[in-house]
Amino acid sequence: MARTTYPKPHVTLDMTGAACPGPMLGAKRVLDELLAGEVMLLISDCPATKDDLLSWPKYAEVRILKTRKLPQGGTGYYIRKGKAQRVSPNAVLDVRGTTCPGPIVEAKKLLNGMRKGEVLQLVSDCPGIRADVRSWVKATGLELADARESASGEFRFYIRKR
């Protein structure tokens, strides 16, 4: 018998016992803080959550990856922020081992020499990099096209120059 695998969530939101639309409102707040490509596990026992989630990708940049009934009750919904996409970088900056703010400083230098629309892949294992990239992208008007945790504590960010 084949074993089903589930995505590793970056965050889990347990909304068991919350009446609808509570699970959806909570999920939206959490997803707003995630980076593109990250996964949230939403746990809900509200019967309307399934129908709400099935219509959500039509209106938001999310993708429902998998669902499963949980032994303790309720259903687990694996939700990925952002549409599934593969971004091809124009340049790669591997700064593993460099502490913050080093990765952002080096990425800024490289992006300054890139053309509008080009993508930088930034690879970092700095503990504060997720928050730093999120703030930096918002403050500078860059686009975070995708982000992935490639290994435990190691991230790949795809940053598009606008």
Side-chain angles (χ1 to χ4, degrees):
M1 180 162 100
R3 184 176 172 182
T4 303
T5 60
Y6 296 95
K8 179 185 172 208
H10 292 84
V11 66
T12 299
L13 177 63
D14 188 344
M15 297 294 291
T16 305
C20 288
M24 290 297 295
L25 296 173
K28 182 183 179 330
R29 279 193 295 271
V30 171
L31 282 167
D32 285 346
E33 295 302 314
L34 292 180
L35 299 173
E38 292 186 328
V39 175
M40 174 183 67
L41 170 59
L42 170 64
I43 301 172
S44 175
D45 57 359
C46 176
T49 299
K50 180 179 179 183
D51 291 335
D52 290 344
L53 283 175
L54 291 177
S55 66
W56 203 11
K58 295 176 193 172
Y59 307 102
E61 292 288 315
V62 298
R63 182 168 171 234
I64 312 306
L65 300 174
K66 292 194 179 218
T67 63
R68 69 174 171 154
K69 292 286 184 193
L70 301 174
Q72 68 270 26
T75 302
Y77 302 93
Y78 293 85
I79 306 166
R80 181 183 188 274
K81 182 174 182 176
K83 300 290 185 190
Q85 58 183 339
R86 288 287 175 221
V87 180
S88 296
N90 299 90
V92 176
L93 178 60
D94 187 337
V95 289
R96 288 178 281 193
T98 304
T99 58
C100 294
I104 300 297
V105 170
E106 294 303 316
K108 182 184 180 315
K109 287 179 192 176
L110 190 53
L111 278 163
N112 283 343
M114 294 174 70
R115 291 188 301 253
K116 184 177 179 180
E118 289 187 326
V119 175
L120 169 66
Q121 179 190 46
L122 173 64
V123 183
S124 177
D125 58 1
C126 177
I129 196 66
R130 288 179 64 234
D132 287 354
V133 166
R134 182 184 300 117
S135 298
W136 176 55
V137 165
K138 285 181 182 177
T140 58
L142 296 167
E143 176 190 347
L144 184 60
D146 202 3
R148 302 200 178 270
E149 188 170 16
S150 51
S152 182
E154 179 182 293
F155 296 89
R156 294 180 187 273
F157 302 95
Y158 297 84
I159 304 163
R160 182 171 287 115
K161 184 172 182 177
R162 289 187 181 189

